[in-house]
Amino acid sequence: MVTSEYNHGYPAALKTAIDSVKHEWRAKPVGFVSYGGLSGGLRAVEQLRQVVVEVHMVPVRESVSFHRVKHAFAADGTTRDGAAIDSAQRMLGQLGWWATTIRAGGDIAPYPG
Ligand SMILES: Cc1cc2nc3c(=O)[nH]c(=O)nc-3n(C[C@H](O)[C@H](O)[C@H](O)COP(=O)(O)O)c2cc1C
């Protein structure tokens, strides 16, 4: 999920999207990419972690954050933000691990939620 942050919160449209789709979220891993001003949307992500658990998603530990987002990307869309690049690699690794593990678990027993 990609989110901006306004006044320490995530956008209402994202909440509506989570609320509108129900069973499709179940037993799915989710990673967060946030952007914003000085805080880079980190508080929005912390709020989202609470919400996605309620629809039976599995938030991974690592997230990617771009503070001062207007300065974070070159004209060709690349970034030199080493922390973000490192976090993205870790997050994608964790997403893959959880996706594989949850799928294998579903072969043993259906998700009980
Ligand atoms: C009213 C307002 C409040 C904002 N509050 C935050 C904030 O709490 N935390 C943050 O990281 N960025 C904050 N920002 C910066 C925005 O996240 C940033 O401008 C971002 O580009 C907005 O995303 P968007 O252009 O996709 O709508 C705020 C910007 C505005 C205009």
Side-chain angles (χ1 to χ4, degrees):
M1 289 186 183
V2 179
T3 186
S4 62
E5 180 176 299
Y6 282 88
N7 294 325
H8 297 195
Y10 61 90
L14 181 53
K15 183 63 162 55
T16 300
I18 296 169
D19 295 344
S20 302
V21 181
K22 292 175 183 164
H23 297 296
E24 289 86 344
W25 297 126
R26 284 187 171 222
K28 299 262 171 59
V30 58
F32 300 103
V33 178
S34 66
Y35 62 94
L38 283 180
S39 83
L42 290 172
R43 291 165 291 213
V45 169
E46 290 307 307
Q47 295 172 16
L48 280 165
R49 288 185 185 281
Q50 298 177 17
V51 173
V52 297
V53 166
E54 192 58 21
V55 291
H56 298 256
M57 297 190 88
V58 181
V60 303
R61 190 268 180 189
E62 216 73 37
S63 62
V64 182
S65 166
F66 293 100
H67 67 281
R68 299 179 72 230
V69 68
K70 290 182 173 59
H71 306 280
F73 295 94
D76 63 359
T78 59
T79 182
R80 289 186 179 177
D81 186 334
I85 293 167
D86 183 58
S87 296
Q89 288 171 342
R90 290 171 191 267
M91 186 182 78
L92 290 170
Q94 291 166 13
L95 274 173
W97 188 89
W98 277 107
T100 303
T101 302
I102 289 169
R103 179 167 291 177
D107 290 340
I108 298 168
Y111 179 65

